[in-house]
């Protein structure tokens, strides 16, 4: 095991703590941004979307036709972006 000794001079304990906290906050923010980016890539099927919203498939179909929720087609399948649904809910657009 390799150990290193670091000597800090001319810095108060509070200043040192603030610097460490600032660096830690930057790392945490990067981690959260990375999580949010990964969340954007999640697509749900019609059934998964209905279960997520706790609605039936007919209501989901109506909301999609009215443009309240955006759907994406691939072949004969319909998908919904999970983050877009969450953003719609947050903005009270449903």
């Amino acid at each position: 095991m390799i150990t290193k000794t670091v000597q800090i001079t001319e810095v108060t304990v509070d200043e040192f703590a603030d610097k460490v906290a600032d660096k830690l906050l930057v790392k945490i923010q990067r981690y959260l941004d990375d999580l949010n980016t990964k969340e954007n890539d999640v697509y749900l099927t019609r059934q998964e979307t209905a279960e997520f919203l706790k609605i039936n498939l007919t209501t989901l179909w109506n909301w999609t036709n009215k443009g309240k929720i955006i759907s994406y087609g691939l072949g004969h399948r319909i998908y919904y972006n999970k983050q877009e649904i969450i953003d719609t809910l947050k903005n009270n657009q449903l």
Side-chain angles (χ1 to χ4, degrees):
M1 182 167 101
I2 300 173
T3 59
K4 293 184 179 182
T5 303
V6 177
Q7 222 174 16
I8 301 172
T9 58
E10 299 180 22
V11 175
T12 67
V13 173
D14 290 335
E15 290 173 334
F16 179 70
D18 288 341
K19 291 290 184 187
V20 170
D22 289 344
K23 291 290 184 181
L24 186 58
L25 284 174
V26 168
K27 295 225 180 231
I28 290 171
Q29 188 59 49
R30 284 185 190 152
Y31 176 75
L32 292 174
D33 290 344
D34 187 42
L35 282 178
N36 287 336
T37 301
K38 290 178 184 174
E39 186 71 20
N40 288 339
D41 296 336
V42 174
Y43 285 85
L44 304 174
T45 64
R46 291 180 69 244
Q47 185 65 42
E48 291 169 337
T49 303
E51 290 171 5
F52 177 70
L53 293 171
K54 297 183 172 104
I55 60 174
N56 63 38
L57 290 172
T58 304
T59 303
L60 180 62
W61 182 81
N62 286 330
W63 288 358
T64 303
N65 284 343
K66 291 178 181 178
K68 292 183 177 187
I69 297 179
I70 299 170
S71 66
Y72 301 91
L74 180 63
H76 295 290
R77 306 274 320 228
I78 301 293
Y79 296 95
Y80 297 86
N81 184 293
K82 186 175 182 180
Q83 189 59 48
E84 287 179 2
I85 294 169
I86 292 169
D87 292 342
T88 302
L89 290 171
K90 285 182 181 176
N91 295 330
N92 292 322
Q93 295 175 347
L94 288 180

